[in-house]
Amino acid sequence: MTTDNLNSAVTTVQTLRNVLTSETEPLARRFRALFSLKHLACLQPPTEKTLPAIQAIAAGFSSPSALLKHELAYCLGQTRNTDALPFLLDVVQDTQEDSMCRHEAAEALGALGYESSLEVLKALRDNENEVDVVRETCDIAVDRILWEQSEARKAEKLKPSDFTSIDPAPPMPLTAKEPSIPDLERTLLDTTLPLFERYRAMFGLRDLASPPDLPTAKQAVESLAKGMKDPSALFRHEIAFVFGQLCHPASVPSLTETLSNLSEVGMVRHEAAEALGSLGDVEGVEDTLKKFLNDPEKVVRDSIIVALDMAEFEKNGEIEYALIPDSGNLAAVPAA
């Protein structure tokens, strides 16, 4: 690589980092900078921008915004890169940090899949003084890492997914017969089963709901929606996240009900808001989101800002929710 190219790479990352870490920048713009950095941090094979991008994302943990920090952790978990480990381990062990951020850091460690994280994750899982959302996430993360390293995994045949995300759990393995939505629903809703197994059913149902015109899509979405009544806030939040991935109109009533429920915990309502943002081209969704711009919970208010920006992005037909450096300035990625 030439010196000019290296300097250009450093400038690109630094420009995005400046936006991400600036408390004076609009939150929606900071999120777009984050997703640009995530793209660079996830490049395979890694490039000269990968480590600086990971470090730039981690620099955002100094922000007071729990919403932003939880998204930073998620992005680091998608990198498949050991350089993300120390930042995530610091967050998950910081008992002064918001539990939503710690949960996301634990989930990210599970997504990275390195055995070196197991000691910390098991200790948090087994600590009865820990908050439920952290303990439950660590439980799933431990099972995911053990599955990743297992011989059983090598024998499993998984349905190809439309989604490139590294999920907290893989879908249920394919068997001789076609996956049954009623069977997956029973597993999804069975609170006596390990969370990891129930998550596998969740992502199995997700994959039966994509693309939206699949004959199984609506039924799978309706099965997933029943999970929004689960006693676990972590579980409910993950269902909302899956709905955000699917962008299926059939999920709008469930997401609207969840967002509108002021007694629901913030991490679930925030996820419902962002999922609705991804459905911004559905009639009535923007109006619903705007009702909560002054919500009493900051994480929900912040999510509404981001969700409305995402809804605008969906309506405009932009190809990527991100920012790109343009002659030293940052501009939204142009429409397709």
Side-chain angles (χ1 to χ4, degrees):
M1 162 168 282
T2 67
T3 302
D4 285 347
N5 285 341
L6 181 59
N7 289 338
S8 174
V10 170
T11 301
T12 298
V13 173
Q14 187 61 50
T15 304
L16 292 166
R17 177 173 177 155
N18 290 344
V19 174
L20 175 66
T21 57
S22 171
E23 294 300 326
T24 61
E25 287 278 1
L27 189 60
R29 187 171 166 83
R30 295 171 74 185
F31 264 69
R32 291 201 180 208
L34 170 58
F35 293 128
S36 294
L37 286 165
K38 173 178 175 276
H39 169 74
L40 299 174
C42 292
L43 289 173
Q44 296 293 335
T47 72
E48 73 287 342
K49 295 180 183 179
T50 301
L51 178 57
I54 288 171
Q55 293 168 333
I57 292 171
F61 283 125
S62 62
S63 173
S65 170
L67 179 68
L68 179 65
K69 288 186 288 188
H70 114 288
E71 201 69 41
L72 301 174
Y74 171 78
C75 290
L76 289 176
Q78 299 295 300
T79 62
R80 304 179 188 271
N81 195 307
T82 55
D83 289 321
L85 282 173
F87 302 113
L88 293 168
L89 288 167
D90 283 347
V91 173
V92 78
Q93 294 177 91
D94 182 0
T95 56
Q96 301 305 305
E97 183 56 271
D98 187 282
S99 59
M100 188 172 82
C101 305
R102 296 179 65 213
H103 130 74
E104 202 67 54
E107 190 169 281
L109 289 166
L112 289 175
Y114 294 108
E115 288 181 287
S116 59
S117 303
L118 284 173
E119 184 179 353
V120 167
L121 290 169
K122 286 179 177 178
L124 292 168
R125 177 198 65 186
D126 298 337
N127 183 352
E128 294 183 0
N129 295 320
E130 270 297 347
V131 293
D132 287 346
V133 69
V134 173
R135 291 184 66 196
E136 288 177 353
T137 309
C138 289
D139 184 30
I140 296 167
V142 167
D143 282 350
R144 193 197 190 287
I145 293 171
L146 293 176
W147 171 84
E148 187 78 35
Q149 308 293 337
S150 70
E151 289 299 315
R153 173 189 178 275
K154 298 172 186 174
E156 286 186 0
K157 183 180 179 183
L158 301 181
K159 178 181 182 291
S161 176
D162 291 341
F163 303 94
T164 58
S165 57
I166 306 172
D167 300 315
M172 287 291 193
L174 293 175
T175 58
K177 63 176 184 175
E178 284 293 307
S180 157
I181 290 178
D183 286 347
L184 289 172
E185 181 184 310
R186 275 191 289 274
T187 301
L188 178 83
L189 302 178
D190 187 347
T191 56
T192 66
L193 295 174
L195 276 170
F196 184 72
E197 189 173 341
R198 298 177 67 204
Y199 267 48
R200 296 198 73 172
M202 185 190 304
F203 289 105
L205 285 166
R206 178 198 66 181
D207 289 344
L208 290 173
S210 179
D213 58 357
L214 267 186
T216 53
K218 188 171 184 291
Q219 186 185 356
V221 168
E222 289 169 349
S223 290
L224 286 165
K226 295 176 184 177
M228 293 302 285
K229 304 298 184 183
D230 196 84
S232 166
L234 177 70
F235 196 83
R236 299 193 300 273
H237 131 282
E238 197 65 33
I239 296 279
F241 172 80
V242 165
F243 281 161
Q245 287 187 308
L246 288 171
C247 301
H248 196 292
S251 67
V252 169
S254 176
L255 291 169
T256 301
E257 179 185 352
T258 299
L259 175 59
S260 303
N261 180 8
L262 299 184
S263 64
E264 177 60 276
V265 297
M267 72 177 287
V268 181
R269 293 181 66 223
H270 112 77
E271 204 69 66
E274 290 194 12
L276 285 169
S278 69
L279 286 151
D281 55 348
V282 175
E283 185 176 355
V285 164
E286 275 194 275
D287 290 338
T288 296
L289 289 169
K290 288 174 181 176
K291 292 177 184 177
F292 299 94
L293 275 168
N294 297 311
D295 195 84
E297 286 215 50
K298 187 178 190 307
V299 71
V300 175
R301 293 196 304 273
D302 286 351
S303 295
I304 295 295
I305 291 169
V306 174
L308 286 169
D309 189 53
M310 291 167 64
E312 191 65 26
F313 151 82
E314 291 291 339
K315 286 201 307 181
N316 291 342
E318 296 175 45
I319 57 172
E320 191 171 355
Y321 186 73
L323 297 177
I324 55 170
D326 179 18
S327 303
N329 298 310
L330 283 174
V333 174

